[in-house]
Amino acid sequence: MKEKQDDVLQEFCDLCHRVGLKLTTPRLAVYRYLRGNTEHPGVDRAWEEVRKELPTISRESVYRVLNDLASHGIVALLERPDVVARYDANPNRHDHFYCEKCGRFFDFEIEELPALVDAAVGSLGKIERAEIRVRGICNECLAKEVRLANKE
Ligand SMILES: [Zn+2]
Ligand SMILES: [Zn+2]
């Protein structure tokens, strides 16, 4: 689903306003790149792409922007089994499948999850976020393994 750039600008403007974050060109560029991106990129990948729009932006700036957006709840920070932080601007509640071979995150959604979690955890406190994280090996990596095995 591709949105028009102006819609993204408007959306980002609203988000910044809501959380009290100043709208800057680097922040908008990073958000524009992340929004609608299903890759769940890390800082290096984000820098590589954002630089195409803002050639002078440093890796450090992209990193700072990502952390600003994450600390204001505009993007989600996905903790990985390793130390590399990854970012997700998909605003809808969704779950993640993590491939241990290639390190990619894939989105999926268990629609019943919020109700299930609420039933099980609701009496303990207020739920801010519920997400299932599944670890495994993605189809692409599985296919690669099969191809390698067949070569032997
Ligand atoms: Zn994989
Ligand atoms: Zn996601």
Side-chain angles (χ1 to χ4, degrees), residues 77-119:
L77 181 60
L78 305 174
E79 300 100 52
R80 284 230 299 188
D82 59 28
V83 291
V84 184
R86 302 276 285 266
Y87 302 87
D88 189 354
N90 181 348
N92 304 316
R93 198 211 72 75
H94 62 285
D95 305 293
H96 289 109
F97 175 70
Y98 172 74
C99 174
E100 304 202 310
K101 282 264 167 212
C102 63
R104 281 186 293 174
F105 281 100
F106 299 86
D107 291 342
F108 68 96
E109 191 192 342
I110 298 179
E111 276 176 37
E112 302 80 7
L113 188 75
L116 287 174
V117 170
D118 193 50

mmCIF file of all heavy atoms in Angstrom, residues 77-119:
data_model
loop_
_atom_site.group_PDB
_atom_site.id
_atom_site.type_symbol
_atom_site.label_atom_id
_atom_site.label_comp_id
_atom_site.label_asym_id
_atom_site.label_seq_id
_atom_site.Cartn_x
_atom_site.Cartn_y
_atom_site.Cartn_z
ATOM 1 N N LEU A 77 10.747 -0.009 18.588
ATOM 2 C CA LEU A 77 12.082 -0.580 18.593
ATOM 3 C C LEU A 77 11.930 -2.074 18.839
ATOM 4 O O LEU A 77 11.367 -2.478 19.843
ATOM 5 C CB LEU A 77 12.895 0.087 19.701
ATOM 6 C CG LEU A 77 14.332 -0.319 19.890
ATOM 7 C CD1 LEU A 77 15.132 -0.050 18.628
ATOM 8 C CD2 LEU A 77 14.925 0.460 21.046
ATOM 9 N N LEU A 78 12.394 -2.869 17.902
ATOM 10 C CA LEU A 78 12.297 -4.317 18.062
ATOM 11 C C LEU A 78 13.595 -4.830 18.654
ATOM 12 O O LEU A 78 14.646 -4.658 18.065
ATOM 13 C CB LEU A 78 12.078 -4.989 16.705
ATOM 14 C CG LEU A 78 10.883 -4.509 15.884
ATOM 15 C CD1 LEU A 78 10.910 -5.182 14.518
ATOM 16 C CD2 LEU A 78 9.599 -4.825 16.596
ATOM 17 N N GLU A 79 13.526 -5.409 19.820
ATOM 18 C CA GLU A 79 14.760 -5.964 20.375
ATOM 19 C C GLU A 79 15.041 -7.287 19.686
ATOM 20 O O GLU A 79 14.158 -8.089 19.489
ATOM 21 C CB GLU A 79 14.646 -6.197 21.881
ATOM 22 C CG GLU A 79 14.367 -4.940 22.660
ATOM 23 C CD GLU A 79 12.920 -4.817 23.029
ATOM 24 O OE1 GLU A 79 12.385 -5.775 23.587
ATOM 25 O OE2 GLU A 79 12.329 -3.770 22.739
ATOM 26 N N ARG A 80 16.275 -7.429 19.332
ATOM 27 C CA ARG A 80 16.651 -8.651 18.645
ATOM 28 C C ARG A 80 17.429 -9.557 19.571
ATOM 29 O O ARG A 80 18.004 -9.110 20.554
ATOM 30 C CB ARG A 80 17.570 -8.283 17.469
ATOM 31 C CG ARG A 80 16.838 -7.701 16.304
ATOM 32 C CD ARG A 80 17.240 -8.403 15.063
ATOM 33 N NE ARG A 80 18.653 -8.269 14.771
ATOM 34 C CZ ARG A 80 19.184 -8.680 13.637
ATOM 35 N NH1 ARG A 80 18.437 -9.250 12.727
ATOM 36 N NH2 ARG A 80 20.452 -8.536 13.407
ATOM 37 N N PRO A 81 17.503 -10.832 19.204
ATOM 38 C CA PRO A 81 18.359 -11.738 19.979
ATOM 39 C C PRO A 81 19.810 -11.255 19.962
ATOM 40 O O PRO A 81 20.535 -11.440 20.913
ATOM 41 C CB PRO A 81 18.234 -13.064 19.246
ATOM 42 C CG PRO A 81 16.931 -12.974 18.524
ATOM 43 C CD PRO A 81 16.744 -11.524 18.172
ATOM 44 N N ASP A 82 20.246 -10.628 18.874
ATOM 45 C CA ASP A 82 21.586 -10.044 18.877
ATOM 46 C C ASP A 82 21.451 -8.567 19.261
ATOM 47 O O ASP A 82 20.409 -8.120 19.669
ATOM 48 C CB ASP A 82 22.285 -10.231 17.529
ATOM 49 C CG ASP A 82 21.502 -9.594 16.397
ATOM 50 O OD1 ASP A 82 20.782 -8.618 16.666
ATOM 51 O OD2 ASP A 82 21.605 -10.067 15.267
ATOM 52 N N VAL A 83 22.532 -7.793 19.113
ATOM 53 C CA VAL A 83 22.507 -6.444 19.674
ATOM 54 C C VAL A 83 22.005 -5.379 18.707
ATOM 55 O O VAL A 83 21.843 -4.235 19.098
ATOM 56 C CB VAL A 83 23.910 -6.020 20.174
ATOM 57 C CG1 VAL A 83 24.285 -6.825 21.390
ATOM 58 C CG2 VAL A 83 24.942 -6.140 19.072
ATOM 59 N N VAL A 84 21.760 -5.740 17.446
ATOM 60 C CA VAL A 84 21.385 -4.721 16.473
ATOM 61 C C VAL A 84 19.928 -4.313 16.646
ATOM 62 O O VAL A 84 19.028 -5.142 16.588
ATOM 63 C CB VAL A 84 21.600 -5.239 15.027
ATOM 64 C CG1 VAL A 84 21.303 -4.124 14.027
ATOM 65 C CG2 VAL A 84 23.009 -5.739 14.851
ATOM 66 N N ALA A 85 19.690 -3.032 16.864
ATOM 67 C CA ALA A 85 18.319 -2.538 17.028
ATOM 68 C C ALA A 85 17.639 -2.411 15.665
ATOM 69 O O ALA A 85 18.256 -2.057 14.679
ATOM 70 C CB ALA A 85 18.349 -1.183 17.719
ATOM 71 N N ARG A 86 16.356 -2.724 15.638
ATOM 72 C CA ARG A 86 15.598 -2.621 14.389
ATOM 73 C C ARG A 86 14.338 -1.819 14.661
ATOM 74 O O ARG A 86 13.842 -1.777 15.773
ATOM 75 C CB ARG A 86 15.233 -4.016 13.899
ATOM 76 C CG ARG A 86 16.453 -4.895 13.683
ATOM 77 C CD ARG A 86 17.053 -4.662 12.341
ATOM 78 N NE ARG A 86 16.219 -5.301 11.355
ATOM 79 C CZ ARG A 86 16.423 -6.528 10.907
ATOM 80 N NH1 ARG A 86 17.416 -7.227 11.355
ATOM 81 N NH2 ARG A 86 15.614 -7.037 10.008
ATOM 82 N N TYR A 87 13.829 -1.173 13.612
ATOM 83 C CA TYR A 87 12.740 -0.228 13.806
ATOM 84 C C TYR A 87 11.543 -0.555 12.921
ATOM 85 O O TYR A 87 11.688 -1.050 11.815
ATOM 86 C CB TYR A 87 13.241 1.195 13.521
ATOM 87 C CG TYR A 87 14.391 1.570 14.403
ATOM 88 C CD1 TYR A 87 15.691 1.260 14.033
ATOM 89 C CD2 TYR A 87 14.178 2.185 15.619
ATOM 90 C CE1 TYR A 87 16.756 1.572 14.860
ATOM 91 C CE2 TYR A 87 15.234 2.505 16.450
ATOM 92 C CZ TYR A 87 16.528 2.201 16.062
ATOM 93 O OH TYR A 87 17.582 2.507 16.883
ATOM 94 N N ASP A 88 10.365 -0.238 13.415
ATOM 95 C CA ASP A 88 9.127 -0.622 12.752
ATOM 96 C C ASP A 88 8.127 0.522 12.868
ATOM 97 O O ASP A 88 7.785 0.948 13.962
ATOM 98 C CB ASP A 88 8.573 -1.864 13.471
ATOM 99 C CG ASP A 88 7.393 -2.482 12.740
ATOM 100 O OD1 ASP A 88 6.932 -1.891 11.744
ATOM 101 O OD2 ASP A 88 6.946 -3.551 13.170
ATOM 102 N N ALA A 89 7.678 1.052 11.715
ATOM 103 C CA ALA A 89 6.713 2.157 11.757
ATOM 104 C C ALA A 89 5.308 1.700 11.374
ATOM 105 O O ALA A 89 4.456 2.511 11.056
ATOM 106 C CB ALA A 89 7.159 3.299 10.840
ATOM 107 N N ASN A 90 5.090 0.401 11.382
ATOM 108 C CA ASN A 90 3.738 -0.094 11.125
ATOM 109 C C ASN A 90 2.879 0.210 12.351
ATOM 110 O O ASN A 90 3.126 -0.321 13.425
ATOM 111 C CB ASN A 90 3.807 -1.609 10.873
ATOM 112 C CG ASN A 90 2.440 -2.202 10.581
ATOM 113 O OD1 ASN A 90 1.413 -1.556 10.776
ATOM 114 N ND2 ASN A 90 2.438 -3.437 10.110
ATOM 115 N N PRO A 91 1.887 1.107 12.203
ATOM 116 C CA PRO A 91 1.151 1.563 13.389
ATOM 117 C C PRO A 91 0.111 0.554 13.878
ATOM 118 O O PRO A 91 -0.420 0.688 14.982
ATOM 119 C CB PRO A 91 0.460 2.838 12.898
ATOM 120 C CG PRO A 91 0.265 2.599 11.436
ATOM 121 C CD PRO A 91 1.394 1.727 10.974
ATOM 122 N N ASN A 92 -0.208 -0.435 13.065
ATOM 123 C CA ASN A 92 -1.233 -1.393 13.477
ATOM 124 C C ASN A 92 -0.621 -2.487 14.341
ATOM 125 O O ASN A 92 0.507 -2.910 14.115
ATOM 126 C CB ASN A 92 -1.890 -2.023 12.248
ATOM 127 C CG ASN A 92 -2.460 -0.971 11.330
ATOM 128 O OD1 ASN A 92 -3.104 -0.021 11.778
ATOM 129 N ND2 ASN A 92 -2.187 -1.099 10.040
ATOM 130 N N ARG A 93 -1.378 -2.955 15.302
ATOM 131 C CA ARG A 93 -0.886 -4.036 16.133
ATOM 132 C C ARG A 93 -0.576 -5.242 15.258
ATOM 133 O O ARG A 93 -1.377 -5.620 14.412
ATOM 134 C CB ARG A 93 -1.957 -4.429 17.174
ATOM 135 C CG ARG A 93 -1.407 -5.214 18.347
ATOM 136 C CD ARG A 93 -2.415 -6.188 18.906
ATOM 137 N NE ARG A 93 -2.639 -7.311 18.022
ATOM 138 C CZ ARG A 93 -1.790 -8.327 17.839
ATOM 139 N NH1 ARG A 93 -0.663 -8.373 18.504
ATOM 140 N NH2 ARG A 93 -2.070 -9.307 16.995
ATOM 141 N N HIS A 94 0.585 -5.802 15.395
ATOM 142 C CA HIS A 94 0.902 -6.995 14.615
ATOM 143 C C HIS A 94 1.988 -7.798 15.311
ATOM 144 O O HIS A 94 2.595 -7.336 16.274
ATOM 145 C CB HIS A 94 1.298 -6.635 13.182
ATOM 146 C CG HIS A 94 2.531 -5.796 13.068
ATOM 147 N ND1 HIS A 94 2.567 -4.460 13.365
ATOM 148 C CD2 HIS A 94 3.785 -6.121 12.694
ATOM 149 C CE1 HIS A 94 3.789 -3.989 13.168
ATOM 150 N NE2 HIS A 94 4.552 -4.977 12.768
ATOM 151 N N ASP A 95 2.191 -8.990 14.825
ATOM 152 C CA ASP A 95 3.143 -9.908 15.434
ATOM 153 C C ASP A 95 4.332 -10.107 14.500
ATOM 154 O O ASP A 95 4.276 -9.721 13.341
ATOM 155 C CB ASP A 95 2.438 -11.237 15.726
ATOM 156 C CG ASP A 95 1.193 -11.005 16.569
ATOM 157 O OD1 ASP A 95 1.341 -10.611 17.728
ATOM 158 O OD2 ASP A 95 0.072 -11.173 16.040
ATOM 159 N N HIS A 96 5.392 -10.699 15.025
ATOM 160 C CA HIS A 96 6.610 -10.845 14.234
ATOM 161 C C HIS A 96 7.147 -12.259 14.219
ATOM 162 O O HIS A 96 7.172 -12.936 15.234
ATOM 163 C CB HIS A 96 7.704 -9.908 14.758
ATOM 164 C CG HIS A 96 7.429 -8.472 14.478
ATOM 165 N ND1 HIS A 96 7.078 -7.586 15.455
ATOM 166 C CD2 HIS A 96 7.414 -7.789 13.312
ATOM 167 C CE1 HIS A 96 6.876 -6.398 14.902
ATOM 168 N NE2 HIS A 96 7.064 -6.491 13.599
ATOM 169 N N PHE A 97 7.563 -12.649 13.026
ATOM 170 C CA PHE A 97 8.299 -13.890 12.843
ATOM 171 C C PHE A 97 9.736 -13.501 12.540
ATOM 172 O O PHE A 97 9.992 -12.718 11.633
ATOM 173 C CB PHE A 97 7.694 -14.689 11.680
ATOM 174 C CG PHE A 97 8.463 -15.926 11.331
ATOM 175 C CD1 PHE A 97 8.484 -17.010 12.187
ATOM 176 C CD2 PHE A 97 9.159 -16.018 10.130
ATOM 177 C CE1 PHE A 97 9.198 -18.165 11.873
ATOM 178 C CE2 PHE A 97 9.871 -17.164 9.801
ATOM 179 C CZ PHE A 97 9.889 -18.237 10.677
ATOM 180 N N TYR A 98 10.673 -13.996 13.328
ATOM 181 C CA TYR A 98 12.075 -13.633 13.168
ATOM 182 C C TYR A 98 12.851 -14.814 12.593
ATOM 183 O O TYR A 98 12.807 -15.909 13.144
ATOM 184 C CB TYR A 98 12.660 -13.246 14.531
ATOM 185 C CG TYR A 98 14.139 -13.029 14.516
ATOM 186 C CD1 TYR A 98 14.676 -11.889 13.932
ATOM 187 C CD2 TYR A 98 15.010 -13.967 15.063
ATOM 188 C CE1 TYR A 98 16.039 -11.687 13.893
ATOM 189 C CE2 TYR A 98 16.379 -13.768 15.031
ATOM 190 C CZ TYR A 98 16.889 -12.621 14.451
ATOM 191 O OH TYR A 98 18.246 -12.427 14.412
ATOM 192 N N CYS A 99 13.498 -14.580 11.446
ATOM 193 C CA CYS A 99 14.292 -15.658 10.836
ATOM 194 C C CYS A 99 15.694 -15.653 11.430
ATOM 195 O O CYS A 99 16.414 -14.665 11.356
ATOM 196 C CB CYS A 99 14.366 -15.502 9.325
ATOM 197 S SG CYS A 99 15.469 -16.724 8.578
ATOM 198 N N GLU A 100 16.081 -16.759 12.027
ATOM 199 C CA GLU A 100 17.382 -16.840 12.693
ATOM 200 C C GLU A 100 18.529 -16.974 11.703
ATOM 201 O O GLU A 100 19.679 -16.784 12.068
ATOM 202 C CB GLU A 100 17.390 -18.023 13.668
ATOM 203 C CG GLU A 100 16.255 -17.908 14.658
ATOM 204 C CD GLU A 100 16.494 -18.701 15.915
ATOM 205 O OE1 GLU A 100 16.841 -19.878 15.784
ATOM 206 O OE2 GLU A 100 16.330 -18.126 17.009
ATOM 207 N N LYS A 101 18.214 -17.304 10.450
ATOM 208 C CA LYS A 101 19.270 -17.431 9.435
ATOM 209 C C LYS A 101 19.621 -16.072 8.844
ATOM 210 O O LYS A 101 20.764 -15.675 8.813
ATOM 211 C CB LYS A 101 18.809 -18.363 8.307
ATOM 212 C CG LYS A 101 18.888 -19.814 8.669
ATOM 213 C CD LYS A 101 20.188 -20.417 8.162
ATOM 214 C CE LYS A 101 20.404 -21.692 8.752
ATOM 215 N NZ LYS A 101 21.021 -22.610 9.198
ATOM 216 N N CYS A 102 18.597 -15.369 8.319
ATOM 217 C CA CYS A 102 18.886 -14.120 7.607
ATOM 218 C C CYS A 102 18.609 -12.886 8.466
ATOM 219 O O CYS A 102 18.907 -11.774 8.058
ATOM 220 C CB CYS A 102 18.101 -14.050 6.298
ATOM 221 S SG CYS A 102 16.311 -14.032 6.510
ATOM 222 N N GLY A 103 18.027 -13.087 9.653
ATOM 223 C CA GLY A 103 17.826 -11.955 10.552
ATOM 224 C C GLY A 103 16.685 -11.031 10.178
ATOM 225 O O GLY A 103 16.598 -9.923 10.696
ATOM 226 N N ARG A 104 15.828 -11.461 9.252
ATOM 227 C CA ARG A 104 14.713 -10.594 8.873
ATOM 228 C C ARG A 104 13.520 -10.806 9.790
ATOM 229 O O ARG A 104 13.311 -11.884 10.319
ATOM 230 C CB ARG A 104 14.283 -10.899 7.426
ATOM 231 C CG ARG A 104 15.193 -10.259 6.403
ATOM 232 C CD ARG A 104 14.659 -10.460 5.007
ATOM 233 N NE ARG A 104 14.712 -11.856 4.617
ATOM 234 C CZ ARG A 104 14.198 -12.306 3.469
ATOM 235 N NH1 ARG A 104 13.580 -11.489 2.643
ATOM 236 N NH2 ARG A 104 14.295 -13.584 3.167
ATOM 237 N N PHE A 105 12.743 -9.729 9.945
ATOM 238 C CA PHE A 105 11.472 -9.820 10.638
ATOM 239 C C PHE A 105 10.358 -9.854 9.606
ATOM 240 O O PHE A 105 10.367 -9.100 8.649
ATOM 241 C CB PHE A 105 11.246 -8.599 11.528
ATOM 242 C CG PHE A 105 11.981 -8.636 12.825
ATOM 243 C CD1 PHE A 105 13.157 -7.935 12.991
ATOM 244 C CD2 PHE A 105 11.482 -9.362 13.892
ATOM 245 C CE1 PHE A 105 13.845 -7.952 14.191
ATOM 246 C CE2 PHE A 105 12.157 -9.384 15.108
ATOM 247 C CZ PHE A 105 13.340 -8.679 15.250
ATOM 248 N N PHE A 106 9.384 -10.702 9.803
ATOM 249 C CA PHE A 106 8.204 -10.741 8.947
ATOM 250 C C PHE A 106 6.987 -10.430 9.810
ATOM 251 O O PHE A 106 6.898 -10.875 10.943
ATOM 252 C CB PHE A 106 8.036 -12.126 8.315
ATOM 253 C CG PHE A 106 9.196 -12.541 7.450
ATOM 254 C CD1 PHE A 106 10.306 -13.164 8.006
ATOM 255 C CD2 PHE A 106 9.179 -12.301 6.080
ATOM 256 C CE1 PHE A 106 11.380 -13.544 7.216
ATOM 257 C CE2 PHE A 106 10.251 -12.681 5.284
ATOM 258 C CZ PHE A 106 11.355 -13.303 5.857
ATOM 259 N N ASP A 107 6.072 -9.653 9.240
ATOM 260 C CA ASP A 107 4.853 -9.310 9.969
ATOM 261 C C ASP A 107 3.781 -10.368 9.768
ATOM 262 O O ASP A 107 3.638 -10.908 8.680
ATOM 263 C CB ASP A 107 4.264 -7.985 9.440
ATOM 264 C CG ASP A 107 5.139 -6.802 9.793
ATOM 265 O OD1 ASP A 107 5.973 -6.919 10.700
ATOM 266 O OD2 ASP A 107 4.959 -5.747 9.153
ATOM 267 N N PHE A 108 3.067 -10.677 10.811
ATOM 268 C CA PHE A 108 1.834 -11.438 10.665
ATOM 269 C C PHE A 108 0.894 -10.947 11.744
ATOM 270 O O PHE A 108 1.272 -10.115 12.577
ATOM 271 C CB PHE A 108 2.076 -12.950 10.740
ATOM 272 C CG PHE A 108 2.509 -13.450 12.097
ATOM 273 C CD1 PHE A 108 1.577 -13.974 12.986
ATOM 274 C CD2 PHE A 108 3.838 -13.420 12.462
ATOM 275 C CE1 PHE A 108 1.974 -14.447 14.234
ATOM 276 C CE2 PHE A 108 4.243 -13.893 13.704
ATOM 277 C CZ PHE A 108 3.306 -14.407 14.589
ATOM 278 N N GLU A 109 -0.332 -11.417 11.721
ATOM 279 C CA GLU A 109 -1.269 -10.899 12.694
ATOM 280 C C GLU A 109 -2.179 -12.001 13.215
ATOM 281 O O GLU A 109 -2.782 -12.732 12.441
ATOM 282 C CB GLU A 109 -2.122 -9.800 12.050
ATOM 283 C CG GLU A 109 -2.928 -9.061 13.089
ATOM 284 C CD GLU A 109 -4.006 -8.176 12.481
ATOM 285 O OE1 GLU A 109 -3.918 -7.870 11.279
ATOM 286 O OE2 GLU A 109 -4.944 -7.835 13.220
ATOM 287 N N ILE A 110 -2.216 -12.133 14.514
ATOM 288 C CA ILE A 110 -3.195 -13.020 15.139
ATOM 289 C C ILE A 110 -4.281 -12.116 15.701
ATOM 290 O O ILE A 110 -4.064 -11.415 16.697
ATOM 291 C CB ILE A 110 -2.559 -13.869 16.257
ATOM 292 C CG1 ILE A 110 -1.475 -14.765 15.666
ATOM 293 C CG2 ILE A 110 -3.625 -14.715 16.958
ATOM 294 C CD1 ILE A 110 -0.762 -15.621 16.685
ATOM 295 N N GLU A 111 -5.405 -12.085 15.014
ATOM 296 C CA GLU A 111 -6.438 -11.122 15.365
ATOM 297 C C GLU A 111 -6.980 -11.318 16.773
ATOM 298 O O GLU A 111 -7.362 -10.371 17.444
ATOM 299 C CB GLU A 111 -7.598 -11.217 14.370
ATOM 300 C CG GLU A 111 -7.340 -10.398 13.107
ATOM 301 C CD GLU A 111 -8.443 -10.566 12.097
ATOM 302 O OE1 GLU A 111 -9.613 -10.654 12.521
ATOM 303 O OE2 GLU A 111 -8.134 -10.615 10.890
ATOM 304 N N GLU A 112 -7.005 -12.549 17.228
ATOM 305 C CA GLU A 112 -7.598 -12.845 18.541
ATOM 306 C C GLU A 112 -6.643 -12.522 19.683
ATOM 307 O O GLU A 112 -7.030 -12.587 20.851
ATOM 308 C CB GLU A 112 -7.978 -14.325 18.642
ATOM 309 C CG GLU A 112 -8.942 -14.833 17.586
ATOM 310 C CD GLU A 112 -8.246 -15.144 16.255
ATOM 311 O OE1 GLU A 112 -6.998 -15.093 16.186
ATOM 312 O OE2 GLU A 112 -8.954 -15.418 15.269
ATOM 313 N N LEU A 113 -5.369 -12.206 19.347
ATOM 314 C CA LEU A 113 -4.373 -12.068 20.412
ATOM 315 C C LEU A 113 -4.736 -11.048 21.496
ATOM 316 O O LEU A 113 -4.645 -11.376 22.683
ATOM 317 C CB LEU A 113 -2.992 -11.748 19.824
ATOM 318 C CG LEU A 113 -1.876 -11.784 20.871
ATOM 319 C CD1 LEU A 113 -1.522 -13.215 21.239
ATOM 320 C CD2 LEU A 113 -0.640 -11.051 20.404
ATOM 321 N N PRO A 114 -5.141 -9.817 21.123
ATOM 322 C CA PRO A 114 -5.430 -8.846 22.191
ATOM 323 C C PRO A 114 -6.473 -9.365 23.189
ATOM 324 O O PRO A 114 -6.313 -9.192 24.405
ATOM 325 C CB PRO A 114 -5.954 -7.630 21.430
ATOM 326 C CG PRO A 114 -5.333 -7.749 20.078
ATOM 327 C CD PRO A 114 -5.270 -9.224 19.797
ATOM 328 N N ALA A 115 -7.502 -10.020 22.684
ATOM 329 C CA ALA A 115 -8.551 -10.537 23.573
ATOM 330 C C ALA A 115 -8.007 -11.652 24.460
ATOM 331 O O ALA A 115 -8.287 -11.701 25.662
ATOM 332 C CB ALA A 115 -9.727 -11.044 22.743
ATOM 333 N N LEU A 116 -7.179 -12.515 23.874
ATOM 334 C CA LEU A 116 -6.581 -13.618 24.644
ATOM 335 C C LEU A 116 -5.673 -13.074 25.742
ATOM 336 O O LEU A 116 -5.727 -13.516 26.896
ATOM 337 C CB LEU A 116 -5.746 -14.526 23.728
ATOM 338 C CG LEU A 116 -6.505 -15.437 22.768
ATOM 339 C CD1 LEU A 116 -5.533 -16.148 21.838
ATOM 340 C CD2 LEU A 116 -7.316 -16.458 23.558
ATOM 341 N N VAL A 117 -4.837 -12.110 25.376
ATOM 342 C CA VAL A 117 -3.896 -11.540 26.340
ATOM 343 C C VAL A 117 -4.668 -10.817 27.431
ATOM 344 O O VAL A 117 -4.350 -10.931 28.620
ATOM 345 C CB VAL A 117 -2.901 -10.583 25.635
ATOM 346 C CG1 VAL A 117 -2.078 -9.810 26.659
ATOM 347 C CG2 VAL A 117 -1.979 -11.367 24.717
ATOM 348 N N ASP A 118 -5.699 -10.108 27.045
ATOM 349 C CA ASP A 118 -6.488 -9.369 28.018
ATOM 350 C C ASP A 118 -7.126 -10.323 29.024
ATOM 351 O O ASP A 118 -7.122 -10.061 30.227
ATOM 352 C CB ASP A 118 -7.563 -8.560 27.288
ATOM 353 C CG ASP A 118 -8.200 -7.549 28.226
ATOM 354 O OD1 ASP A 118 -7.427 -6.816 28.873
ATOM 355 O OD2 ASP A 118 -9.434 -7.528 28.328
ATOM 356 N N ALA A 119 -7.616 -11.440 28.519
ATOM 357 C CA ALA A 119 -8.248 -12.408 29.408
ATOM 358 C C ALA A 119 -7.234 -12.991 30.382
ATOM 359 O O ALA A 119 -7.535 -13.244 31.545
ATOM 360 C CB ALA A 119 -8.899 -13.518 28.584
#
